[in-house]
Amino acid sequence: TQLLEQSPQFLSIQEGENLTVYCNSSSVFSSLQWYRQEPGEGPVLLVTVVTGGEVKKLKRLTFQFGDARKDSSLHITAAQPGDTGLYLCAGPYNQGGKLIFGQGTELSVKP
Amino acid sequence: DAGITQSPRYKITETGRQVTLMCHQTWSHSYMFWYRQDLGHGLRLIYYSAAADITDKGEVPDGYVVSRSKTENFPLTLESATRSQTSVYFCASRAGAHTDTQYFGPGTRLTVL
């Protein structure tokens, strides 16, 4: 059972375009995180959102946590080739400190 | 060097052999995790540990064994490797709360022939 569904799974765009990646669930999460993974490396944390409706910005990346804390989105403005990578959302699952991940969105930004 | 390391980075083995993947972190983080990453499945949790001598199963624990006798080490053993265990394995560590940063190692690419 995939508790976190990401869409789209693949995205190929031209440099300068805008894009949005979605992370949805039927469950309420106390927090959600977004990670970025480059080929041959482990994921790296981009942001953590903890409050429903919260918006955080990281340069050209804007992250939003849904009001009901069941979904989150990542918006990239004027994408650059350096944004290419796998974007993963993650949230705490049950008790005990586990973090569950969505299946990821593979982004390719062409010059 | 501070951080989280995995060894080996690449491993080829045969069906039925025992394989151990090593993970070491220098931060004294309480939590450590093992994930496998396969196309279309994202990162799936195999096992995790909240502290030394405390381990628990994740989503896909079958065929794997872990131990954590020291805080800094969290080895993952495939007791009898199968082809379905061909994957990229990531170790991760986290200081405590869910909102803390979870740091990942560089991964081990395992091929079972």
Side-chain angles (χ1 to χ4, degrees):
Chain A
T1 303
Q2 189 75 38
L3 294 185
L4 286 170
E5 296 281 349
Q6 285 187 239
S7 62
Q9 281 193 265
F10 301 94
L11 197 51
S12 181
I13 61 172
Q14 293 295 129
E15 182 176 2
E17 292 184 14
N18 301 332
L19 66 115
T20 302
V21 176
Y22 299 94
C23 175
N24 295 304
S25 177
S26 57
S27 305
V28 174
F29 284 87
S30 58
S31 62
L32 280 178
Q33 295 180 320
W34 285 91
Y35 289 78
R36 180 172 156 228
Q37 183 180 16
E38 298 191 21
E41 299 181 8
V44 175
L45 179 68
L46 294 173
V47 76
T48 300
V49 286
V50 297
T51 305
E54 181 177 5
V55 176
K56 280 191 173 180
K57 291 193 176 183
L58 189 66
K59 296 184 181 178
R60 293 176 293 99
L61 279 60
T62 302
F63 303 85
Q64 185 162 8
F65 199 12
D67 291 341
R69 292 185 287 124
K70 291 184 177 181
D71 57 86
S72 180
S73 63
L74 157 61
H75 182 79
I76 301 180
T77 303
Q80 298 177 0
D83 295 326
T84 292
L86 179 68
Y87 290 82
L88 296 152
C89 65
Y93 174 62
N94 287 343
Q95 305 295 325
K98 293 186 284 189
L99 204 61
I100 190 167
F101 284 80
Q103 72 271 48
T105 294
E106 187 77 51
L107 172 65
S108 174
V109 182
K110 302 185 187 309
Chain B
D1 290 336
I4 182 166
T5 56
Q6 293 183 235
S7 61
R9 293 293 313 278
Y10 302 90
K11 177 74 178 178
I12 299 175
T13 191
E14 294 177 337
T15 302
R17 295 206 178 228
Q18 184 179 80
V19 178
T20 295
L21 309 183
M22 304 302 291
C23 179
H24 176 78
Q25 52 105 353
T26 61
W27 296 298
S28 298
H29 283 170
S30 295
Y31 285 93
M32 294 189 75
F33 307 84
W34 274 107
Y35 294 88
R36 60 177 290 173
Q37 187 171 41
D38 307 287
L39 281 174
H41 290 281
L43 285 162
R44 290 184 291 175
L45 182 64
I46 304 171
Y47 269 96
Y48 70 106
S49 169
D53 296 322
I54 301 175
T55 62
D56 205 351
K57 297 177 180 179
E59 300 172 73
V60 288
D62 293 344
Y64 302 95
V65 174
V66 293
S67 62
R68 196 167 175 207
S69 57
K70 293 184 177 181
T71 298
E72 61 268 30
N73 296 323
F74 192 38
L76 175 74
T77 298
L78 288 67
E79 294 188 296
S80 178
T82 65
R83 289 182 181 171
S84 65
Q85 292 178 310
T86 292
S87 186
V88 181
Y89 291 85
F90 287 98
C91 178
S93 73
R94 194 175 77 227
H98 294 124
T99 50
D100 289 343
T101 300
Q102 188 155 306
Y103 295 93
F104 285 81
T108 294
R109 183 174 293 275
L110 176 68
T111 301
V112 184
L113 301 176

